Amino acid sequence: MAVKPVPVTGSVLAWARADVGMSVRELADALDVTPATILRWESEETHPTTGQFKRLSKVLGRPENFFFLTRPPKAAPAVAAFRTKYGQGEWLAPDPKISQQLRLAQRVQTVSAWISRKLGDSRPVVPEAAIYHAPEKVAASLSSWMSWTLDIQTGNSDARTSQMLRQRLQERGLTVLHLSFDEDTAVRGFSLPHATAPLMAINTKEHYRARLFSYVHELAHLALHDDSLCFVRNDEGVERWCNEVAAAFLIPEHDFRRHVSDKFGSQKVSTLDQVSMLRGRYKASLLAVALRLEKLDLAVPGLYSSVSRILEKRSKGGRPDPDRPQTRARIRLQTYGSHYVSSLLEAAESEILPETQVLDILKVSRSELADLRMLSQSGAEG
């Protein structure tokens, strides 16, 4: 029996391959075919078999019906700005699942910017910074901008502190997405600068303390006007600088020096156990505390690298509250955040967007939109 080919649109296939940053050879290797076969599919000289097509859809992270579009999407491939330097000069493109999250974020940013223009909202003004600025001064500037204090940080639970920091960012005009990446991904978050709709996305598989660090790390990228796909173990150049800003923000120098002295006197910190003893007050990750210790010359040389090697089975994200059912409306609010949801609701109320379009954007029913409105007004972001 002859194998029936699947007539994919070649230009759409080529677009999808570029969108995830794969070369012809990389896609060919993933599908166990030759590069010439991929080129023939993209030129529509031949077509994949059903089995090859199903693997193709999975590898490129697109629904099967996407490949039957008559032409590629108009949007530029999502990974263009995210070939992030990592390790010893290697350039990595995000995998297909990360690319899906990037595309979602880009769509959210486009809608947010359009609504902002239509409503005449004032543009958010993230304090600007440059890589040659001292991380301590940048952290102080960002803390002042967000009216953030150590008392807020130490006076609330991990979950509540994380929620409050996210809300402060949103109150200042930033869209803060909560996205769930795979357990084994090395990505902790990313940021997309924009004149009127700056955006960051945080991995909810991270524990609340790691999220705190990621919020400020991504804010530092936005202060630089820097597109960023942030890996857990990238600690060079801009990434190192953003890490130092985040550590200085969460662990103020004067208080930290006193805290270390109270615990260990003049002894320099040298072990993971000692680092662990210091972290609780600041709700910071072990790596953040180790970085701060080394930066302030309160640790033996190489402590941060040592802790990095020992770690890190990352903790799971916060568990849903059993007293707050995870309805579709609540999940949408948790994912998109109050800033984006509120702007959509305001656009519908102002008749800038038809309600049917808001329903389509959020993928909710009318009754769920009513629930979402109530949750948004109550501040139950979660």
Side-chain angles (χ1 to χ4, degrees):
M1 182 176 178
V3 177
K4 187 175 181 180
V6 180
V8 300
T9 304
S11 59
V12 172
L13 169 57
W15 188 97
R17 176 178 58 74
D19 192 44
V20 298
M22 295 186 80
S23 68
V24 170
R25 178 170 293 281
E26 287 169 336
L27 181 57
D29 289 344
L31 299 177
D32 198 25
V33 298
T34 66
T37 299
I38 300 296
L39 291 174
R40 284 196 292 269
W41 292 350
E42 292 185 355
S43 64
E44 298 186 29
E45 294 176 37
T46 61
H47 296 291
T49 65
T50 301
Q52 290 170 333
F53 174 63
K54 289 185 179 297
R55 293 200 302 275
L56 175 71
S57 175
K58 185 175 181 180
V59 168
L60 295 181
R62 293 284 184 168
E64 292 180 4
N65 60 6
F66 173 84
F67 295 94
F68 302 118
L69 294 173
T70 57
R71 62 179 64 87
K74 292 181 180 179
V79 303
F82 288 93
R83 292 185 174 273
T84 304
K85 191 173 183 181
Y86 181 65
Q88 298 302 313
E90 182 180 2
W91 290 81
L92 299 180
D95 64 35
K97 292 180 181 178
I98 300 301
S99 292
Q100 288 179 333
Q101 304 287 33
L102 288 171
R103 288 192 293 270
L104 169 63
Q106 288 178 319
R107 290 195 297 271
V108 167
Q109 187 175 63
T110 298
V111 172
S112 183
W114 185 87
I115 292 174
S116 180
R117 289 195 301 271
K118 290 292 185 180
L119 292 175
D121 291 341
S122 58
R123 56 184 289 182
V125 183
V126 179
E128 292 192 1
I131 190 68
Y132 55 83
H133 291 165
E136 298 283 344
K137 291 185 177 180
V138 175
S141 173
L142 295 177
S143 296
S144 176
W145 180 63
M146 290 204 298
S147 301
W148 190 259
T149 66
L150 186 59
D151 287 342
I152 296 172
Q153 210 167 295
T154 58
N156 294 280
S157 67
D158 289 359
R160 179 59 182 152
T161 304
S162 175
Q163 292 163 6
M164 291 175 72
L165 185 53
R166 184 188 190 190
Q167 190 57 37
R168 292 289 172 95
L169 290 165
Q170 294 179 118
E171 288 169 356
R172 281 146 185 79
L174 277 64
T175 298
V176 183
L177 301 182
H178 274 185
L179 303 179
S180 179
F181 300 106
D182 287 346
E183 291 284 353
D184 58 350
T185 185
V187 176
R188 66 164 73 247
F190 59 82
S191 52
L192 297 173
H194 192 280
T196 58
L199 176 149
M200 67 174 68
I202 304 300
N203 184 3
T204 57
K205 292 293 175 68
E206 299 273 4
H207 187 272
Y208 290 118
R209 293 184 178 189
R211 291 186 208 176
L212 276 176
F213 190 87
S214 291
Y215 289 137
V216 188
H217 178 100
E218 299 304 337
L219 181 60
H221 275 291
L222 291 175
L224 293 174
H225 300 282
D226 175 54
D227 284 353
S228 146
L229 183 64
C230 298
F231 293 90
V232 172
R233 302 193 187 282
N234 189 356
D235 197 43
E236 300 178 344
V238 172
E239 288 301 299
R240 174 76 178 204
W241 183 87
C242 291
N243 283 344
E244 290 180 355
V245 170
F249 181 101
L250 295 172
I251 309 172
E253 179 177 357
H254 178 74
D255 186 90
F256 190 52
R257 286 188 181 278
R258 178 192 56 77
H259 187 53
V260 174
S261 178
D262 289 346
K263 291 285 187 183
F264 306 116
S266 59
Q267 172 191 359
K268 289 198 173 184
V269 177
S270 60
T271 69
L272 178 61
D273 287 342
Q274 290 176 314
V275 174
S276 185
M277 290 173 65
L278 296 167
R279 70 183 293 191
R281 172 169 173 74
Y282 305 99
K283 298 180 173 61
S285 67
L286 292 166
L287 285 172
V289 174
L291 178 63
R292 197 72 174 127
L293 286 164
E294 196 166 285
K295 180 71 174 178
L296 298 176
D297 196 29
L298 297 171
V300 298
L303 175 70
Y304 179 72
S305 296
S306 174
V307 171
S308 296
R309 286 193 299 269
I310 295 171
L311 296 178
E312 176 159 309
K313 236 184 182 181
R314 287 175 291 149
S315 302
K316 305 266 180 152
R319 296 178 181 175
D321 187 337
D323 295 327
R324 298 163 65 183
Q326 291 297 95
T327 62
R328 191 189 300 271
R330 189 178 295 279
I331 290 170
R332 293 295 183 271
L333 185 59
Q334 290 170 343
T335 299
Y336 292 115
S338 59
H339 175 70
Y340 182 63
V341 168
S342 296
S343 68
L344 285 170
L345 293 173
E346 186 178 354
E349 290 164 5
S350 304
E351 299 184 347
I352 291 171
L353 278 177
E355 185 177 273
T356 53
Q357 195 165 352
V358 174
L359 296 175
D360 183 60
I361 290 171
L362 293 172
K363 300 293 188 293
V364 295
S365 66
R366 277 194 165 81
S367 63
E368 289 167 339
L369 186 65
D371 292 342
L372 188 54
R373 184 176 285 107
M374 290 178 60
L375 287 170
S376 180
Q377 291 171 348
S378 71
E381 186 173 70

